[in-house]
Amino acid sequence: DVKVTQSSRYLVKRTGEKVFLECVQDMDHENMFWYRQDPGLGLRLIYFSYDVKMKEKGDIPEGYSVSREKKERFSLILESASTNQTSMYLCASIPRGVWNEQFFGPGTRLTVL
Amino acid sequence: GENVEQHPSTLSVQEGDSAVIKCTYSDSASNYFPWYKQELGKRPQLIIDIRSNVGEKKDQRIAVTLNKTAKHFSLHITETQPEDSAVYFCAASINQAGTALIFGKGTTLSVSS
C-alpha cells in the first residue's frame, strides 16, 4: 500500500511566521504535489515536483515556496503566513508514467491567527 | 489559464436513483480525466478515470463519458446507496503525462434511504 504522510494533522500559527509543511511518501514516487482545499473551491494546485530539486508552479503559487531535496520528501513553505492561508493542505504523489492515480496524504489543517 | 467547471455543487437523491455530475474543461490538450471521491474527514481517492481516446468507461455502478469535441465529461452513478454520499471531484490533466491536474470545485452528493 502506498503511504503518504504529512507531518501534522492540525497546526496553528501566527501571522508573519514562517511555516513548514512536510510530506513524505514511501513508494519511490517521482511526482509529488501540494494542494490547498477550501469549501466551495475544490482542490487547487499550489506547486508540484517531478524530480528531486525540480519544481513547477501550479494555479496558486503566490505566497508559497517548495523544497524537494530528497525523492521521498516534499516540503511546502509559507514564508510569512497570512490569515488568508488558513486552509486544509493536501499532499499527493504518483509514480513516473502516464495517467496514474494520485495518492493523497491525510491533510494538514492550518490555522493562521 | 486552464479551468474545470463542475455542476451541480450539491445533489440530493433517493437511494436507488441515478446521479449525474457534469464537468467542462477549457484546455483542448487535456488528455486524462479522473474522478475522485472524498468521504467526510478522509482523503480523496480515485474512483474512475478516462483517457482522451475513449468515449465511455464503466465500472459496476459507475460510468464516465467524454465528449472531446464539446470538452464535456460526466460521471454517472446508478442504483445509488447511502455509502455513495461524499464529495466528488472531476479533474483534467494540464500536461501530456497526465500527472498534473486541475480539479473542479466538487459536488456534494447526498443519498437518503
Side-chain angles (χ1 to χ4, degrees):
Chain A
D1 266 358
V2 175
K3 203 167 184 182
V4 181
T5 57
Q6 296 182 228
S7 50
S8 307
R9 290 302 302 271
Y10 300 94
L11 208 53
V12 180
K13 295 292 181 181
R14 297 217 171 267
T15 302
E17 280 193 78
K18 190 168 186 176
V19 182
F20 293 86
L21 303 182
E22 304 283 338
C23 175
V24 177
Q25 48 91 8
D26 67 356
M27 284 301 290
D28 204 35
H29 286 175
E30 283 76 13
N31 301 278
M32 296 186 74
F33 306 83
W34 275 107
Y35 295 91
R36 64 177 282 177
Q37 182 173 19
D38 301 287
L41 296 179
L43 294 157
R44 292 182 291 167
L45 182 63
I46 305 172
Y47 267 97
F48 63 103
S49 168
Y50 51 88
D51 205 345
V52 175
K53 297 194 186 295
M54 306 302 287
K55 61 185 179 185
E56 294 279 348
K57 292 181 180 179
D59 260 1
I60 52 164
E62 298 79 18
Y64 303 95
S65 62
V66 290
S67 172
R68 184 120 181 251
E69 296 296 319
K70 291 186 177 181
K71 192 175 186 179
E72 67 271 18
R73 188 181 298 270
F74 191 33
S75 302
L76 181 69
I77 303 155
L78 287 67
E79 295 290 342
S80 177
S82 63
T83 54
N84 62 11
Q85 293 179 309
T86 292
S87 186
M88 171 69 84
Y89 290 88
L90 287 164
C91 172
S93 75
I94 60 173
R96 189 187 305 279
V98 297
W99 309 314
N100 288 306
E101 175 181 2
Q102 290 199 11
F103 292 94
F104 285 86
T108 296
R109 185 165 294 283
L110 172 67
T111 302
V112 183
L113 301 175
Chain B
E2 294 83 0
N3 189 42
V4 174
E5 297 281 340
Q6 182 171 347
H7 299 280
S9 55
T10 60
L11 181 58
S12 296
V13 299
Q14 291 286 321
E15 184 177 0
D17 287 351
S18 294
V20 180
I21 302 170
K22 298 182 179 183
C23 289
T24 60
Y25 60 98
S26 60
D27 186 359
S28 55
S30 293
N31 61 7
Y32 175 61
F33 308 91
W35 287 86
Y36 283 78
K37 175 184 180 183
Q38 186 177 29
E39 296 176 4
L40 192 62
K42 296 192 175 179
R43 63 193 82 184
Q45 288 191 294
L46 180 72
I47 54 170
I48 196 167
D49 57 15
I50 192 166
R51 299 168 194 177
S52 58
N53 58 349
V54 175
E56 183 173 356
K57 184 177 178 181
K58 234 178 165 178
D59 182 4
Q60 298 182 332
R61 297 185 297 108
I62 293 173
V64 58
T65 58
L66 172 66
N67 182 331
K68 279 219 76 178
T69 304
K71 292 193 256 182
H72 289 169
F73 57 115
S74 300
L75 178 72
H76 304 253
I77 307 173
T78 58
E79 300 170 26
T80 53
Q81 300 165 4
E83 51 265 39
D84 294 329
S85 296
V87 180
Y88 291 81
F89 294 99
C90 63
S93 61
I94 56 171
N95 62 349
Q96 188 66 26
T99 50
L101 302 172
I102 291 292
F103 283 83
K105 293 182 178 179
T107 296
T108 302
L109 173 64
S110 300
V111 181
S112 51
S113 53

